[in-house]
Amino acid sequence: MNESSWGPLPGAGPWGPTDRGTAPSLRAAPPAAAGPLHAGGDAAQTRPMSLVPDAGGHQDDTRDHRDDRGAARLSSPLFRDEKPQEPMPTAFPGSPGHDSSPDSDKPKRKSAGRNLRAAIGVGIGLGAVILASLFVYKPVFIGVIAIAVVVGLWELTSRLAERKDIRVPLVPLAVGGTAMVVAGYVRGAEGAWVVMALTTLAVLVWRMTEAPENYLRDVTAGVFAAFYVPFLATFVALMLAAEDDGPQRVVTFLLLTVVSDTGAYAVGWRFGRHKLAPRISPGKTREGLVGAVLFAMAAGALCMEFLITGGAWWQGLLLGLAVAVSATLGDLGESMIKRDLGIKDMGTLLPGHGGIMDRLDSLLPTAPVVWLLFVIFVGAG
């Protein structure tokens, strides 16, 4: 605090207190008129002090204890007029207390911001499950998608209820979302749209069993959840349904999204200086976006050339560019949702990653983009 933050104290004159029992003024006093708490007139006290005597004496004994300059001197260490003890200086190079190791004078490396060991371990485990289900028996992967959809819906609806008191009916969403994924794999995009419409109707009817207050708000959030999670995930099932190279298309989609995210994270962490969207996600940088584009385009060229039937490397460049943009927008979109809800992660199910929705944030908006480009470049399969 500065001196202007303290008003004049009762009983204080222009140079100090009018008697010993009054609290001191914060103005500097000349040596002859120094108050009982002024240290000999050399400098004025500019901070509030506690009238606590030290352990070895009484506070009353300090009133008659004066130094040779006429100013009162208290026996407690808080009131002594000696200069405070200066902190010990830092050890200099060559002194006994100095760390002479080669890395002692180097700046510390910045932290990655999350548990990378746990994140890598969980990512490898998920990758193994996905690959096994894709190439052993394709319908098993449909079950993996359905499980991810149901858990993601549970995380989203739980956070909406906790933070916004929005009551979205989970049962019709979970049943309809699972049916949506299966219909997309069996009947194509037409089947997915039909189930999407039926799921919306089920949400409207299910919510009618409760009080009418906030009905419109709750069903609107339910329709949004049905579109955001299961409907967008259905495009992964549409990719898998391709007879010639369905599993390879899904692997390309997942690989490009992961590579884009990894490139953005690595380049942004190492070289990031300019914020991409500071109001939405302060950690994302323009340099990270460039890294995402370069990594995804390189991976896309390789995947389209060697994995996709009839694909060309230049198509992979365009595919990688589209994936980098859609994955970044999807990540920013969920960041907006989480900022609105006032949370950091959607869940804690995956150590080092957060929740299922924190992994689906870039995958969900990217799925229809990749499916559409596959149809344009090499057909539906």
Side-chain angles (χ1 to χ4, degrees):
M1 292 184 181
N2 53 29
E3 294 184 9
S4 62
S5 63
W6 294 86
L9 299 176
W15 296 104
T18 56
D19 60 81
R20 295 181 179 179
T22 310
S25 169
L26 297 178
R27 299 175 181 270
L37 299 182
H38 285 280
D42 292 338
Q45 286 297 121
T46 60
R47 61 179 182 178
M49 292 185 174
S50 173
L51 298 176
V52 179
D54 61 357
H58 299 283
Q59 184 176 350
D60 293 337
D61 297 337
T62 63
R63 294 186 177 180
D64 297 327
H65 181 67
R66 295 175 175 271
D67 59 12
D68 53 358
R69 301 177 65 180
R73 179 180 178 184
L74 297 180
S75 60
S76 173
L78 292 175
F79 294 92
R80 289 177 182 170
D81 55 358
E82 292 94 336
K83 292 183 179 180
Q85 189 175 9
E86 296 292 335
M88 293 296 293
T90 310
F92 295 99
S95 62
H98 178 70
D99 183 9
S100 58
S101 60
D103 298 332
S104 60
D105 296 327
K106 294 181 180 180
K108 294 182 178 180
R109 298 178 64 184
K110 53 186 178 182
S111 171
R114 61 177 174 175
N115 189 340
L116 285 180
R117 181 175 299 179
I120 293 173
V122 171
I124 293 175
L126 291 176
V129 171
I130 290 172
L131 291 177
S133 60
L134 273 175
F135 292 99
V136 174
Y137 187 54
K138 289 199 299 184
V140 175
F141 184 70
I142 297 299
V144 173
I145 300 175
I147 292 174
V149 163
V150 172
V151 176
L153 286 170
W154 170 72
E155 289 179 347
L156 179 59
T157 56
S158 298
R159 301 297 87 78
L160 289 174
E162 292 171 1
R163 308 299 297 185
K164 295 292 186 178
D165 197 29
I166 299 176
R167 307 297 175 180
V168 178
L170 178 60
V171 173
L173 281 178
V175 174
T178 302
M180 209 179 301
V181 173
V182 175
Y185 178 71
V186 176
R187 303 294 298 177
E190 181 179 333
W193 275 113
V194 171
V195 178
M196 174 65 189
L198 294 176
T199 303
T200 301
L201 181 61
V203 170
L204 296 175
V205 174
W206 192 282
R207 180 57 180 79
M208 290 179 184
T209 61
E210 301 178 8
E213 287 78 17
N214 299 319
Y215 174 81
L216 183 60
R217 183 195 66 179
D218 293 346
V219 297
T220 302
V223 175
F224 163 75
F227 177 83
Y228 182 46
V229 184
F231 183 75
L232 293 182
T234 301
F235 287 92
V236 183
L238 293 176
M239 284 184 256
L240 183 63
E243 295 181 0
D244 297 335
D245 53 3
Q248 288 84 354
R249 295 190 184 200
V250 175
V251 169
T252 299
F253 154 68
L254 295 174
L255 184 61
L256 292 188
T257 308
V258 172
V259 167
S260 171
D261 184 49
T262 303
Y265 180 76
V267 175
W269 176 71
R270 181 64 181 86
F271 302 104
R273 296 294 183 271
H274 304 88
K275 301 297 183 182
L276 178 63
R279 295 182 60 185
I280 303 175
S281 182
K284 289 180 175 54
T285 61
R286 299 174 188 175
E287 293 81 0
L289 178 59
V290 173
V293 171
L294 294 178
F295 277 57
M297 290 180 68
L302 294 174
C303 289
M304 287 295 292
E305 184 71 27
F306 297 105
L307 292 182
I308 305 302
T309 303
W313 65 269
W314 64 268
Q315 296 171 341
L317 294 178
L318 297 179
L319 182 64
L321 175 61
V323 167
V325 173
S326 62
T328 301
L329 292 176
D331 202 352
L332 291 175
E334 183 163 346
S335 295
M336 284 284 287
I337 296 174
K338 291 189 286 190
R339 280 193 170 274
D340 188 21
L341 297 177
I343 57 177
K344 184 178 184 296
D345 293 318
M346 282 289 187
T348 58
L349 186 62
L350 303 177
H353 294 269
I356 289 292
M357 285 300 299
D358 297 298
R359 291 299 87 201
L360 297 179
D361 54 359
S362 55
L363 291 169
L364 291 174
T366 304
V369 174
V370 173
W371 173 80
L372 179 60
L373 289 177
F374 276 146
V375 172
I376 294 174
F377 289 151
V378 295

